[in-house]
């Protein structure tokens, strides 16, 4: 019994033992990044293609509706169209 | 394995190549425009990453985060190897990231990577598909092998049963043949031919044994009786010496018979075929004729010779010469004084024929059919010396050369028809 307790303690104290660390997070899946992309899109000085604008608007709407990853994908597509158009 | 390497394995290689290209481009940018340009490039790349796969983390020397989308520097990235895999938290689900570490100089560190969850899923599907396909192939292969084995067993069973019966002593068994005329039937035919040949050879061996038992017992007994009689009857050393010499001569004759029997057996077994070579028999026949011509003259007989300039054959020169000598021996033995023996040879497209004709008493049809059997002696020959093995050897030599020995009357309808023995052999 004593031996089992010692083993558990050793496992708990050992750094990274048994992959006790939390998995890494991706910061670009957040609504904050949604906002960042919206601002980046708006900051472009070039003439925006209508399709890019529509995609950006749809992306914002999805982000606001809680569909963050889909919204981010739309915004990224909008930026890509914008870059291609520019 | 090859299929897996070309499909699922290709996905891994593709991801690594993309990461390496991305990292190389960022390093080049840094060397030209510095760290701020690298940070900007990272932000630009993340902003247009529609697939949402790219992963970056650029840290300052003090550990401050300059750009990227990873929440922290993973402990695995501080290890020895630059390539790492780490678990990744996305939308509450655990995914997996493939990362490549670079030291940019001045204490700046960079991680470039990809979220490989989709690739892993695709690889899993491919692996599963390959596993199913491999399992199905293996199952079909096993089934095919089983069916093939059954089919082979069914076809080989008669051969196996025959071989087992023969090994158990039943030499009369033969492989039953089907009507398919396939490889197994060909094997069966070959085996049957082999068994026929073995049976023929064994018959020959048995014949030799019987002949030795029956025909050599008499001369041995006779020689023994002579020696025994001399032992009792001889009164002086000279007569005893004469009896011993006679005994030695008798035993020499028996040894010669043994030698002849063994030689016939050797010829019949086909062992001499390895010594076959192209040969011109005409000079050999001329030499024999010269030798026997003198012998014939001594007995007031005439040896007429008619030989071509060349007689090309493929065969065993010594055996053929021995066969002709045997024929001439017989002919001279049975030809009366003043008679003629003819030795001739001719070559056609298909055959070479060597003929020995005599003016002797000839041989009845019934005897001709048996001539060639070991120790057979026609009634007319009982009074002449001989062992009854001469024609046996000639016939065996002819057979060894895929030829034949033909016997016919020299003068049909004559009171003393004589005998013509023709050794017909395939031409070279």
């Amino acid at each position: 019994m004593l031996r089992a307790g010692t083993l558990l303690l050793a496992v708990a104290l050992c750094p990274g033992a048994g992959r006790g660390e939390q998995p890494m997070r991706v910061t670009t899946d957040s609504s904050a990044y949604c906002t960042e992309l919206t601002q980046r899109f708006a900051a472009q000085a070039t003439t925006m293609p209508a399709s890019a604008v529509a995609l950006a608007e749809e992306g914002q709407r999805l982000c606001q509706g809680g569909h963050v990853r889909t919204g981010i994908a739309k915004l990224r597509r909008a930026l890509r169209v914008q870059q291609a158009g520019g | 394995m090859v299929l897996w390497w070309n499909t699922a394995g290709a996905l891994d290689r593709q991801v690594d190549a993309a990461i390496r290209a991305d990292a190389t481009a960022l390093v080049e940018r840094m060397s030209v425009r510095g760290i701020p340009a690298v940070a900007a490039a990272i932000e630009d790349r993340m902003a247009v990453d529609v697939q949402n796969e790219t992963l970056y983390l650029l840290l300052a020397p003090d550990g401050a985060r300059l750009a990227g989308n990873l929440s922290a520097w993973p402990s695995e990235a501080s290890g020895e190897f630059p390539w790492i895999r780490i678990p990744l938290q996305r939308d509450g689900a655990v995914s997996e990231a493939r990362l490549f570490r670079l030291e940019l100089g001045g204490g700046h560190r960079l991680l470039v990577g990809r979220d490989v969850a989709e690739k892993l899923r695709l690889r899993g599907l491919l692996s599963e598909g390959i596993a199913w396909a491999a399992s199905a192939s293996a199952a079909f292969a096993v089934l095919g092998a089983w069916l093939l084995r059954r089919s082979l067993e069914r076809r080989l069973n008669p051969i196996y049963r025959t071989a087992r019966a023969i090994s158990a002593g039943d030499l009369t068994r033969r492989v039953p043949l089907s009507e398919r005329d396939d490889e197994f039937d060909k094997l069966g035919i070959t085996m049957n031919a082999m068994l026929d040949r073995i049976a023929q050879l064994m018959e020959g061996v048995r014949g030799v044994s019987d002949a030795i038992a029956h025909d050599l017992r008499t001369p041995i007994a006779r020689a023994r009786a002579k020696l025994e009689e001399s032992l009792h009857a001889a009164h002086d050393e000279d007569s005893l010496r004469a009896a011993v010499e006679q005994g030695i001569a008798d035993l020499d004759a028996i040894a010669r018979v043994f030698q002849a029997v063994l030689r016939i057996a050797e010829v019949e077994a086909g062992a001499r075929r390895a010594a076959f070579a192209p040969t011109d028999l005409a000079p050999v026949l001329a030499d024999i004729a010269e030798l026997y011509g003198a012998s014939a003259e001594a007995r007031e007989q005439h040896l007429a010779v008619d030989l071509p300039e060349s007689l090309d054959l493929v065969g065993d020169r010594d055996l053929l010469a021995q066969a002709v000598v045997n024929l001439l021996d017989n002919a001279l033995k049975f030809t009366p004084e003043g008679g003629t023996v003819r030795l001739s040879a001719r070559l056609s497209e298909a055959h070479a024929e060597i003929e020995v004709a005599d003016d002797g008493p000839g041989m009845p049809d019934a005897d001709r059919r048996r001539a060639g059997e070991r120790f057979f002696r026609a009634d007319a020959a009982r009074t002449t010396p001989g062992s009854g093995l001469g024609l046996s050897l000639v016939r065996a030599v002819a057979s060894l050369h895929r030829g034949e020995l033909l016997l016919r009357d020299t003068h049909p309808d004559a009171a003393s028809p004589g005998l013509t023995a023709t050794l017909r052999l395939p031409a070279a």
Side-chain angles (χ1 to χ4, degrees):
Chain A
M1 194 66 188
L2 185 64
R3 184 178 289 180
T6 312
L7 190 65
L8 279 173
L9 187 64
V11 169
L13 292 177
C14 182
R19 289 214 68 89
E21 294 174 5
Q22 285 294 313
M24 197 68 58
R25 275 188 314 102
V26 177
T27 58
T28 46
D29 289 342
S30 62
S31 53
Y33 191 64
C34 220
T35 310
E36 191 184 325
L37 284 180
T38 306
Q39 288 168 354
R40 178 183 272 263
F41 184 78
Q44 302 295 323
T46 54
T47 314
M48 295 179 196
S51 59
V53 173
L55 279 168
E57 284 173 359
E58 195 182 346
Q60 284 175 53
R61 200 166 47 250
L62 283 164
C63 280
Q64 283 160 10
H67 305 289
V68 176
R69 285 188 75 169
T70 323
I72 288 171
K74 293 279 181 191
L75 284 165
R76 281 172 163 161
R77 198 167 292 158
L79 281 164
R80 184 171 277 189
V81 171
Q82 188 187 47
Q83 278 183 3
Chain B
M1 199 63 194
V2 173
L3 190 61
W4 193 91
W5 173 259
N6 284 326
T7 53
L11 289 172
D12 288 347
R13 294 194 296 279
Q14 194 183 7
V15 168
D16 285 0
I19 292 173
R20 201 184 291 275
D22 202 357
T24 306
L26 289 172
V27 168
E28 280 174 10
R29 182 175 278 257
M30 198 220 66
S31 62
V32 176
R33 294 164 66 181
I35 288 293
V38 175
I42 289 171
E43 296 300 334
D44 285 348
R45 285 172 194 202
M46 289 192 307
V48 292
D49 174 26
V50 178
Q51 282 79 30
N52 200 17
E53 287 179 345
T54 54
L55 300 168
Y56 299 97
L57 184 60
L58 175 63
L59 293 186
D62 60 357
R65 187 163 165 274
L66 299 177
N69 55 355
L70 288 174
S71 58
W73 185 267
S75 58
E76 291 91 335
S78 303
E80 186 185 350
F81 301 104
W83 287 98
I84 56 167
R85 280 182 187 277
I86 59 165
L88 205 62
Q89 184 81 43
R90 298 201 87 155
D91 280 349
V94 177
S95 173
E96 190 175 309
R98 174 83 165 143
L99 296 169
F100 182 56
R101 184 193 69 217
L102 290 112
E103 302 292 339
L104 296 180
H108 290 88
R109 291 177 292 165
L110 174 64
L111 282 177
V112 181
R114 295 287 184 273
D115 180 347
V116 291
E118 285 300 318
K119 297 272 191 309
L120 287 178
R121 212 165 294 135
L122 185 58
R123 191 172 68 172
L125 283 172
L126 278 169
S127 302
E128 196 179 341
I130 289 169
W132 275 109
S135 305
S137 304
F140 278 118
V142 169
L143 182 68
W146 181 74
L147 287 173
L148 187 67
R149 186 181 167 180
R150 269 198 60 183
S151 166
L152 279 174
E153 271 179 358
R154 209 168 40 241
R155 295 308 316 276
L156 284 174
N157 254 340
I159 298 173
Y160 167 69
R161 278 198 299 270
T162 304
R164 198 171 52 178
I166 285 167
S167 66
D170 180 6
L171 292 176
T172 59
R173 288 284 288 272
R174 294 293 180 268
V175 177
L177 303 174
S178 71
E179 291 176 357
R180 296 182 203 175
D181 196 27
D182 55 9
E183 282 70 20
F184 294 99
D185 281 336
K186 284 176 188 156
L187 175 65
I189 290 168
T190 312
M191 264 192 78
N192 287 346
M194 180 185 76
L195 292 171
D196 288 344
R197 176 72 177 142
I198 290 171
Q200 187 189 342
L201 289 174
M202 288 191 67
E203 195 59 40
V205 170
R206 197 175 298 126
V208 171
S209 310
D210 292 350
I212 288 171
H214 288 98
D215 293 77
L216 288 181
R217 201 168 48 188
T218 309
I220 290 171
R222 195 183 303 136
R224 185 188 178 285
K226 272 189 202 171
L227 285 171
E228 194 174 20
E229 184 189 336
S230 306
L231 188 66
H232 295 303
H235 299 294
D236 55 14
E237 192 179 335
D238 287 345
S239 56
L240 197 59
R241 178 180 289 276
V244 170
E245 281 172 357
Q246 178 60 44
I248 289 170
D250 287 346
L251 288 173
D252 283 347
I254 292 167
R256 276 197 297 277
V257 171
F258 263 114
Q259 208 170 356
V261 168
L262 290 174
R263 191 158 207 207
I264 291 167
E266 183 192 26
V267 170
E268 285 181 344
R272 297 286 295 248
R273 204 165 277 147
F276 274 23
T279 183
D280 181 6
L281 214 59
V284 180
L285 294 179
D287 287 348
I288 293 171
E290 194 180 333
L291 186 70
Y292 276 81
S295 167
E297 273 175 27
R299 296 161 65 176
E300 295 183 8
Q301 294 164 327
H302 175 59
L303 179 62
V305 180
D306 178 17
L307 297 174
E309 279 190 16
S310 68
L311 192 64
D312 293 324
L313 288 169
V314 175
D316 187 316
R317 183 190 177 103
D318 294 342
L319 281 181
L320 289 168
Q322 180 67 55
V324 174
V325 163
N326 285 11
L327 289 178
L328 274 176
D329 262 340
N330 275 352
L332 291 171
K333 197 159 63 182
F334 291 106
T335 297
E337 280 183 17
T340 302
V341 172
R342 287 177 189 80
L343 170 65
S344 61
R346 55 188 166 272
L347 189 65
S348 68
E349 275 190 18
H351 296 107
E353 289 185 343
I354 302 162
E355 210 165 77
V356 177
D358 65 52
D359 290 342
M363 192 185 275
D365 275 348
D367 288 350
R368 273 183 218 168
R369 278 194 291 276
R370 293 194 61 195
E373 287 180 15
R374 286 185 194 85
F375 299 107
F376 171 73
R377 305 200 71 204
D379 287 340
R382 296 265 177 218
T383 53
T384 59
S387 60
L389 291 170
L391 281 183
S392 294
L393 181 70
V394 176
R395 206 176 276 281
V397 169
S399 175
L400 179 75
H401 288 79
R402 303 189 199 292
E404 56 189 337
L405 172 68
L406 304 170
L407 300 174
R408 62 181 165 82
D409 290 339
T410 308
H411 312 291
D413 304 326
S416 185
L419 184 69
T420 299
T422 307
L423 189 58
R424 180 181 284 171
L425 304 166

